[in-house]
């Protein structure tokens, strides 16, 4: 491994400052920054299509099968969430990157599968934006809205013959309910069935939290504010995400879950759903209370 390659992985893996790289490898701080940017762009370009390409219909079905096997959530094509990446204030940006936690950040929005691998990311949105706004303006959000993701046709839930149900993505309360996007019920005055639905959805949605934890704990530059130019910081995060997938595909998927990380969630915002989404959620709620869909331990876990 060359000194340049070692310095890049030293930075991504430890979060060392540019000053530390300067003294360790006898390179200038500006040179180190250029090396980080150019190498991270090269990593993204080389690996993105191979480890984070858009799934096709058969791959969506495989993702849903794993979610059903590991999380017992049927017709689930992925879990989505957004996290703040702490940065130094970008020049001439005012308060656009200043978030509600009172520090500067940009957003890492991600959709992951049940094997904790990222299937889509959007990096660089203003830290002041809500999750729902980032999602709506992302390529993934637009494709989902336009029904252009090549999801499998609606199919009945396991053990049933009707009705045909759409494939969905699971998210927290920061996102709007939709036909293909499930969020939990409001926590006020929940019936037993709705509490069970929230529990079952949380079991599936937590995989994206684990994915963020694994990412941050392996690429530890995410544990501290990134003191790089905005474009370089975005490139570094994108490179870390594809390296995360690359390593997971080769190391296997057996590991101890980690929910501890330094990436902070967005503050939930009030967003409205629509009737089709509500109908799908009610069907899933009924299914989770039925003999075909209930889990033996679910009532003990709510």
């Amino acid at each position: 491994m060359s000194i340049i390659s070692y310095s890049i992985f030293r930075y991504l893996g430890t979060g060392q400052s540019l000053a530390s790289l300067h003294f360790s490898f006898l390179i200038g701080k500006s040179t180190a920054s250029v090396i980080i940017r150019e190498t991270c762009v090269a990593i993204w370009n080389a690996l993105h299509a191979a480890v984070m390409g858009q799934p096709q219909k058969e791959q969506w079905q495989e993702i849903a099968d794993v979610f059903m096997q590991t999380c017992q959530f049927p017709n689930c094509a992925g879990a989505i969430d957004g996290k703040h990446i702490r940065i130094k204030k970008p020049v001439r940006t005012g308060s656009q990157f200043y978030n509600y936690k009172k520090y500067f950040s940009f957003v890492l929005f991600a959709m992951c599968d049940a094997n904790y691998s990222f299937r889509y990311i959007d990096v660089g949105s203003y830290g002041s934006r809500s999750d729902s706004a980032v999602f709506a303006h992302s390529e993934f959000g637009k494709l989902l809205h336009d029904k252009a993701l090549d999801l499998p046709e609606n199919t009945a839930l396991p053990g049933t013959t009707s009705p045909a149900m759409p494939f969905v993505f699971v998210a927290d309360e920061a996102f709007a309910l939709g036909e293909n996007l499930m969020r939990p019920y409001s926590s006020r005055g929940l019936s037993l069935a709705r509490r069970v639905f929230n529990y079952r959805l949380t079991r599936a949605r937590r995989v994206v939290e684990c994915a963020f934890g694994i990412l941050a704990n392996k690429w530890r530059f995410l544990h501290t504010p990134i003191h790089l130019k905005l474009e370089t910081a975005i490139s570094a995060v994108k490179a870390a995400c594809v390296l995360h997938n690359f390593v997971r595909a080769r190391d296997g998927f057996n590991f101890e879950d980690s929910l501890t990380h330094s990436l902070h969630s967005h503050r939930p915002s009030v967003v409205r759903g629509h009737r089709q989404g509500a109908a799908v959620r009610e069907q899933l709620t009924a299914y989770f209370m039925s003999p075909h869909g209930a889990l033996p331990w679910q009532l003990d876990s709510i």
Side-chain angles (χ1 to χ4, degrees):
M1 181 182 291
S2 69
I3 292 179
I4 291 178
S5 298
Y6 185 75
S7 65
I8 292 301
F9 288 104
R10 181 83 168 267
Y11 171 77
L12 296 178
T14 66
Q16 280 190 323
S17 66
L18 295 182
S20 178
L21 294 178
H22 162 67
F23 288 112
S24 298
F25 301 100
L26 301 179
I27 55 177
K29 296 179 185 178
S30 59
T31 302
S33 180
V34 171
I35 291 173
I36 291 171
R37 183 184 71 248
E38 292 182 352
T39 306
C40 286
V41 169
I43 291 172
W44 171 262
N45 291 337
L47 294 180
H48 174 245
V51 302
M52 205 184 290
Q54 181 173 321
Q56 303 302 311
K57 187 170 297 184
E58 295 77 12
Q59 293 171 304
W60 286 122
Q61 184 64 60
E62 292 172 1
I63 292 171
D65 291 343
V66 178
F67 264 105
M68 186 61 190
Q69 179 183 357
T70 60
C71 304
Q72 292 78 51
F73 200 102
N75 290 22
C76 181
I80 65 175
D81 199 6
K83 294 295 180 181
H84 288 290
I85 305 296
R86 189 188 292 260
I87 57 173
K88 69 175 183 179
K89 181 183 181 299
V91 296
R92 295 186 294 275
T93 58
S95 60
Q96 292 172 317
F97 289 93
Y98 195 67
N99 65 44
Y100 76 100
K101 290 180 177 289
K102 303 188 184 305
Y103 62 80
F104 292 94
S105 68
F106 59 74
V107 178
L108 165 59
F109 168 79
M111 186 275 289
C112 77
D113 61 26
N115 287 322
Y116 309 92
S117 294
F118 298 113
R119 293 302 185 121
Y120 174 85
I121 60 171
D122 181 276
V123 187
S125 293
Y126 298 139
S128 58
R129 278 186 168 181
S130 67
D131 271 351
S132 58
V134 173
F135 169 71
H137 289 88
S138 69
E139 180 185 0
F140 178 81
K142 294 174 182 177
L143 289 172
L144 182 62
H145 180 269
D146 296 337
K147 298 188 181 298
L149 283 176
D150 196 27
L151 294 173
E153 286 76 19
N154 293 3
T155 184
L157 300 178
T160 68
T161 57
S162 64
M165 299 287 288
F167 283 75
V168 301
F169 297 90
V170 293
D172 61 21
E173 61 274 13
F175 295 85
L177 181 67
E179 181 181 5
N180 300 108
L181 184 59
M182 292 292 101
R183 56 167 284 175
Y185 289 100
S186 172
S187 58
R188 296 180 180 177
L190 291 179
S191 65
L192 178 63
R194 291 187 173 189
R195 288 165 58 199
V196 168
F197 173 86
N198 282 1
Y199 164 70
R200 298 286 293 271
L201 181 139
T202 300
R203 292 188 75 246
R205 189 190 61 79
R206 69 184 291 273
V207 301
V208 69
E209 295 284 346
C210 287
F212 284 132
I214 299 163
L215 175 73
N217 287 332
K218 183 174 287 292
W219 308 106
R220 301 186 71 83
F221 78 104
L222 296 169
H223 278 277
T224 57
I226 302 176
H227 292 279
L228 299 170
K229 292 182 179 179
L230 179 62
E231 296 79 7
T232 306
I234 291 173
S235 295
V237 173
K238 292 169 67 175
C241 289
V242 292
L243 287 170
H244 166 91
N245 282 12
F246 181 84
V247 171
R248 292 201 50 69
R250 282 150 183 78
D251 287 357
F253 302 127
N254 295 320
F255 64 95
E256 183 176 346
D257 288 356
S258 174
L259 288 172
T260 303
H261 55 81
S262 60
L263 310 182
H264 299 106
S265 299
H266 274 202
R267 178 172 53 188
S269 57
V270 179
V271 287
R272 295 182 178 180
H274 57 70
R275 293 180 181 178
Q276 288 178 311
V280 172
R281 187 167 64 176
E282 289 295 335
Q283 290 283 354
L284 286 169
T285 301
Y287 176 75
F288 291 149
M289 297 298 292
S290 72
H292 298 297
L295 298 177
W297 65 85
Q298 65 186 22
L299 296 181
D300 297 328
S301 300
I302 60 176

